[in-house]
Amino acid sequence: MIMNANHYSELVELDKKHFVHPTSSIKQQQEFGPAYIFTEAKGVMVKDIEGKEYIEGMSSLWNVNIGYGREELGEAAMEQIKTMSFSNAFYTFSHEPGIRLAEKLASISPGDLNHIFFTSGGSESNDTAFKLARHYWILKGEPNRKKIIARKQAYHGVATGSTSATGIKQFHTMTNSLAPDFVHTEALSVDALRDTIEAEGPSTIAAFIAEPVMGAGGLFYPPEDYFAGIRNVCDEYGILFITDEVITGFGRTGSLFCMDHYGVVPDMMTFAKGVTSGYFPLGGVMMSEKVFSVLKDKSDGPLFHGFTYSGHPVGCAVALKNLEIIEKEQLVQNAKERGEELLAGFKQIEEEFEHIADIRGKGLLAAFDLFMDRDQKTRFPEKMAPKIMDEAMKRGLICRNITYGESDTVVFSPPLVISSEEISRLLMILRESIQVVLNKIVVG
């Protein structure tokens, strides 16, 4: 709760003076200050400094899977800090939380993804996967296999390698020197991947990376047979297949991992976000037996890659407790059931408003698009999704808009603990927000 106007003004000025915000408009911040200053959060609700409450319809950045304010995770972190606050994992130094978490992840991952390299987040995880893929081919005596194929409109992070793999123009034009040997192919087309491989030369390709659901690029779901086809093409050309489950992992789509929906096991799988529900920065790469056996049998000397906080013992302890809660409270099943309610609500809204279309979702990861004419798929002259997001915020609902390229998309990704009542409230606010925006733009 805001204590006084001076306190609020002080924070705004300090924010403008010192806090450089990621993926934000610096000009907007310098002119208006922070859009919101949040102070408290519990369950699916967050509260700002003025005391206003919001349904967190995005789990912040798709990551607060078990909801806010879970004391169990704080207790797990405190106990680990008291016992041993930190130990690095270099030089084969180890600790029980890291060992236990690696074993746990191996036991729940698809197929034979039994070997875990820990990082601090998604961007590091994807950069690590690229380096491991290239190292794999060096060890196999094929050093020319160094190209990484990613997809247009995909998002894989903002480190140098992950930025280069990202297929969204704005992330490329922010800098002036992308990493070499990254190639982009059309999304959601197996034939396009084959054509790209043939054009580049199969003997130059190390790996192909894909999100099971394209998240920040527009929440695009693949055809049901897409990943089976991708797996076949990668096998045919001997290319490693990497899936980026940073957003979709740990129950988000109503299955523990999204690739479970498609029955396909990749050679490597990256993760972050939901592994700790955002309570501690942690990520990693899961490797198959095929990949790890080459690293084990053919390497000589140290693996010259690692981060200070790889396998941070506090992060591992938090992750173990987080995964325990996901299982104990059956949050994967809750995501599936509440996701069905959310999607049903979207479909009702689609029937009510002729400018809503392309309803899509699995579990608690769902979206819809706005069209001036949905039958002809013509867009409005200006983006509608940001207006709906702003109107929803006024009414106490946080969602996200995606407007890259042709997209005019509203996205939801609420915590997996959300209840049916909270889904109903979310849908009520959303319906009101759409009505207000369309009345202003279409009618008025």
Side-chain angles (χ1 to χ4, degrees):
M1 176 72 73
I2 186 168
M3 297 181 66
N4 56 60
N6 289 337
H7 175 61
Y8 176 74
S9 297
E10 177 194 17
L11 290 178
V12 168
E13 290 308 312
L14 288 173
D15 187 281
K16 290 163 67 175
K17 187 175 182 180
H18 300 294
F19 194 166
V20 182
H21 290 258
T23 316
S24 300
S25 167
I26 295 174
K27 182 178 180 180
Q28 177 180 315
Q29 180 217 20
Q30 291 301 303
E31 184 174 355
F32 302 108
Y36 300 90
I37 300 176
F38 294 108
T39 57
E40 299 176 47
K42 187 73 173 177
V44 303
M45 304 300 296
V46 296
K47 185 182 292 186
D48 70 17
I49 196 169
E50 296 178 310
K52 183 176 179 179
E53 285 193 319
Y54 305 80
I55 299 175
E56 186 29 295
M58 279 303 300
S59 300
S60 195
L61 280 177
W62 331 75
N63 62 333
V64 188
N65 285 18
I66 66 166
Y68 296 90
R70 299 302 296 255
E71 294 182 5
E72 304 98 307
L73 269 64
E75 291 166 357
M78 181 178 69
E79 186 60 35
Q80 184 58 46
I81 288 169
K82 289 194 300 183
T83 304
M84 184 180 70
S85 61
F86 180 69
S87 173
N88 79 75
F90 287 28
Y91 323 116
T92 70
F93 287 12
S94 201
H95 49 77
E96 187 167 356
I99 294 168
R100 295 292 184 192
L101 180 59
E103 187 278 332
K104 179 63 177 177
L105 291 170
S107 73
I108 63 176
S109 65
D112 65 345
L113 296 169
N114 295 328
H115 307 278
I116 321 299
F117 187 101
F118 289 114
T119 71
S120 300
S123 293
E124 283 186 1
S125 297
N126 286 326
D127 269 35
T128 295
F130 304 147
K131 290 180 73 174
L132 289 173
R134 288 163 172 165
H135 185 60
Y136 169 91
W137 288 112
I138 290 171
L139 292 176
K140 284 179 67 69
E142 298 186 58
N144 289 332
R145 281 188 178 263
K146 55 187 177 179
K147 293 178 185 176
I148 307 294
I149 300 178
R151 300 184 297 178
K152 296 176 183 178
Q153 209 69 8
Y155 179 83
H156 296 294
V158 292
T160 299
S162 50
T163 293
S164 303
T166 290
I168 300 170
K169 178 183 177 182
Q170 288 86 337
F171 289 93
H172 291 180
T173 55
M174 178 267 176
T175 183
N176 60 3
S177 183
L178 296 173
D181 298 316
F182 286 87
V183 180
H184 292 88
T185 190
E186 295 295 333
L188 309 183
S189 169
V190 175
D191 289 339
L193 174 61
R194 182 184 295 278
D195 291 344
T196 301
I197 292 169
E198 290 287 351
E200 296 292 329
S203 63
T204 70
I205 310 298
F208 169 70
I209 185 169
E211 303 159 276
V213 179
M214 297 179 73
L219 210 71
F220 300 119
Y221 281 83
E224 287 298 316
D225 61 349
Y226 173 75
F227 280 112
I230 291 296
R231 178 75 271 182
N232 289 337
V233 169
C234 288
D235 289 344
E236 179 183 342
Y237 291 100
I239 293 166
L240 295 178
F241 175 31
I242 305 167
T243 54
D244 176 348
E245 291 244 16
V246 171
I247 288 175
T248 55
F250 307 102
R252 172 56 55 195
T253 64
S255 184
L256 199 54
F257 296 97
C258 192
M259 289 306 292
D260 293 334
H261 291 294
Y262 306 114
V264 173
V265 179
D267 299 301
M268 288 189 275
M269 185 168 75
T270 61
F271 66 91
K273 294 189 186 292
V275 70
T276 63
S277 289
Y279 283 69
F280 198 96
L282 186 73
V285 182
M286 301 180 184
M287 289 175 273
S288 68
E289 292 293 344
K290 179 180 84 172
V291 172
F292 183 72
S293 65
V294 171
L295 272 61
K296 179 182 67 173
D297 297 339
K298 295 184 178 293
S299 62
D300 183 18
L303 177 68
F304 283 101
H305 178 71
F307 307 99
T308 299
Y309 299 119
S310 291
H312 195 301
V314 177
C316 292
V318 169
L320 283 165
K321 180 57 68 173
N322 178 68
L323 295 176
E324 178 185 311
I325 289 171
I326 289 174
E327 291 180 351
K328 181 180 178 181
E329 298 184 5
Q330 299 182 323
L331 296 185
V332 177
Q333 181 64 22
N334 194 65
K336 181 178 183 295
E337 293 173 0
R338 302 293 82 73
E340 290 170 355
E341 293 170 1
L342 182 63
L343 207 60
F346 282 4
K347 289 177 180 176
Q348 290 178 355
I349 290 172
E350 182 182 32
E351 292 175 5
E352 185 177 345
F353 299 100
E354 63 178 328
H355 301 286
I356 305 297
D358 290 357
I359 306 298
R360 54 202 185 270
K362 284 185 185 293
L364 289 170
L365 187 61
F368 60 83
D369 272 53
L370 291 112
F371 296 90
M372 187 166 62
D373 186 328
R374 67 184 178 193
D375 294 329
Q376 299 298 318
K377 296 295 185 182
T378 56
R379 299 286 188 176
F380 286 98
E382 58 180 325
K383 303 289 187 179
M384 294 292 104
K387 299 178 186 296
I388 290 172
M389 186 189 79
D390 290 344
E391 202 63 44
M393 287 293 293
K394 294 176 185 176
R395 288 165 166 74
L397 170 63
I398 298 172
C399 57
R400 179 168 178 166
N401 71 85
I402 296 176
T403 57
Y404 300 121
E406 290 296 310
S407 294
D408 195 3
T409 308
V410 178
V411 176
F412 287 87
S413 178
L416 310 189
V417 295
I418 196 167
S419 67
S420 292
E421 293 76 16
E422 289 162 336
I423 288 287
S424 296
R425 184 177 169 194
L426 180 157
L427 290 166
M428 179 189 71
I429 296 173
L430 176 61
R431 180 178 284 102
E432 291 174 355
S433 303
I434 293 170
Q435 181 73 68
V436 168
V437 170
L438 292 181
N439 279 347
K440 287 178 180 178
I441 302 301
V442 179
V443 179

